């Protein structure tokens, strides 16, 4: 599904963030990218979402050469991907319901679909009693569950989650990781970064270890060796 081919990224200040990365991710996988802060994890994700361009190498999403897309085709490509950030990035003056409805409107979904789907997705993430709460009226874990609901509402093919549990306590981390597992079991490919060994142990699938811009391990059985 995703192929990173000889991917190298040197930022304008000469920082070598990725150094000749090769990685293949199949549809349906749950892949965890682990590595210390500064290892290159976020840069790798930004190459897939076309937020940053490679210095050398290619990114393929199926047969699409992502960095060859015309500017006008990038938004359509990005709709294949749902993104979850460490800091959730919810709109503060919109309720949980409205945050998700907004993402549906942006994707051109009808009012009818919005009314039907938003309560259902909030139920899936265990927040059917918090539809009308604003982000500041939710706990950190609840806010992150709303942002996950928002990421999956338009049925993306891939979920990218950059340190999604970085701001959460262990109990909320457990709930959020289980939610990603459930989403993966329902058929969506998940690519998640973390530097937390406990998170890797909870997921227990394929673990790719990045260090200084290089992939130093690729384990099928969830090992964390940093
Ligand atoms: P991680 O997500 O593993 O913490 P990053 O991909 O954010 O790592 O960063 C990899 C390296 O690239 C680090 O040395 C970081 O300082 C550098 N870096 C990240 N973004 C930029 C940027 N926009 N400009 C210059 N250097 C950057």
């Amino acid at each position: 599904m995703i192929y990173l081919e000889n991917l190298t990224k040197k930022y304008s200040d000469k920082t070598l963030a990725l150094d000749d990365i090769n990685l293949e991710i199949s549809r349906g996988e749950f892949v965890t990218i682990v590595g210390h802060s500064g290892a290159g994890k976020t840069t790798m994700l930004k190459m897939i979402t076309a937020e940053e361009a490679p210095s050398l190498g290619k990114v393929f999403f199926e047969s699409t050469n992502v960095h060859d897309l015309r500017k006008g085709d990038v938004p359509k490509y990005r709709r294949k991907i749902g993104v979850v950030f460490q800091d959730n990035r919810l709109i503060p003056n919109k309720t949980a319901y409205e945050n998700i409805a907004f993402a549906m409107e942006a994707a051109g979904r009808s009012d009818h679909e919005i009314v039907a789907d938003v309560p259902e997705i909030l139920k899936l993430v265990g927040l059917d009693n918090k539809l009308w709460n604003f982000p500041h009226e939710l706990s950190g874990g609840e806010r992150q569950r709303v942002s996950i609901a928002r990421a999956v509402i338009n049925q993306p093919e891939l979920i990218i989650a950059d340190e999604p549990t970085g701001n959460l306590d262990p109990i909320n981390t457990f709930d959020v990781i289980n939610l990603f597992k459930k989403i993966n079991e329902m058929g969506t490919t998940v690519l998640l970064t973390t530097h937390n060994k406990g998170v890797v142990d909870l997921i227990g699938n394929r673990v790719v270890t990045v260090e200084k811009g290089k992939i130093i391990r690729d384990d099928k059985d969830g090992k964390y060796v940093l």
Side-chain angles (χ1 to χ4, degrees):
M1 181 184 200
I2 309 276
Y3 306 89
L4 308 182
E5 200 179 282
N6 303 116
L7 197 63
T8 295
K9 176 66 179 180
K10 202 180 232 183
Y11 284 107
S12 50
D13 65 357
K14 305 261 187 305
T15 302
L16 184 61
L18 294 179
D19 185 3
D20 198 22
I21 295 269
N22 286 285
L23 182 69
E24 185 173 337
I25 295 169
S26 301
R27 194 169 279 275
E29 274 198 283
F30 193 138
V31 179
T32 308
I33 310 273
V34 300
H36 295 298
S37 179
K41 305 181 295 294
T42 302
T43 301
M44 201 190 291
L45 301 183
K46 285 181 172 171
M47 299 278 136
I48 298 172
T49 56
E51 273 175 78
E52 290 281 355
S55 308
L56 281 173
K58 291 181 182 148
V59 175
F60 286 95
F61 191 111
E62 303 287 3
S63 56
T64 304
N65 183 338
V66 172
H67 297 278
D68 266 2
L69 284 170
R70 281 177 302 160
K71 217 176 165 195
D73 291 331
V74 172
K76 185 165 164 245
Y77 163 68
R78 288 204 178 123
R79 282 206 279 278
K80 293 174 192 269
I81 306 172
V83 185
V84 177
F85 301 94
Q86 178 170 349
D87 58 356
N88 71 69
R89 302 200 191 172
L90 295 176
I91 302 167
N93 60 352
K94 289 190 188 292
T95 62
Y97 182 102
E98 289 164 347
N99 264 280
I100 297 166
F102 189 69
M104 292 183 77
E105 280 161 21
R109 310 273 300 274
S110 70
D111 288 350
H112 177 75
E113 285 177 293
I114 291 173
V115 170
D117 290 0
V118 176
E120 201 172 310
I121 198 79
L122 282 169
K123 189 167 181 203
L124 178 88
V125 301
L127 291 174
D128 38 341
N129 58 341
K130 303 275 166 121
L131 261 63
W132 306 110
N133 286 46
F134 289 94
H136 74 270
E137 296 168 333
L138 297 168
S139 72
E142 288 169 342
R143 282 196 288 271
Q144 196 57 303
R145 281 189 274 148
V146 175
S147 88
I148 295 167
R150 179 180 61 179
V152 297
I153 191 67
N154 293 316
Q155 295 163 321
E157 296 174 43
L158 170 70
I159 291 285
I160 282 183
D162 196 5
E163 295 275 1
T165 59
N167 290 340
L168 303 181
D169 61 34
I171 290 174
N172 280 306
T173 293
F174 182 80
D175 288 345
V176 160
I177 291 302
N178 279 330
L179 189 52
F180 281 114
K181 283 171 117 171
K182 185 153 117 186
I183 289 163
N184 177 247
E185 279 158 19
M186 290 163 79
T188 309
T189 311
V190 178
L191 178 58
L192 178 151
T193 72
T194 185
H195 57 252
N196 182 336
K197 182 179 184 320
V199 168
V200 175
D201 291 342
L202 269 175
I203 300 170
N205 284 47
R206 180 176 172 196
V207 179
V208 173
T209 309
V210 180
E211 187 153 340
K212 294 185 185 141
K214 283 187 176 294
I215 291 178
I216 58 161
R217 291 183 70 107
D218 187 346
D219 293 294
K220 299 284 177 210
D221 56 354
K223 277 204 199 85
Y224 181 91
V225 288
L226 282 177

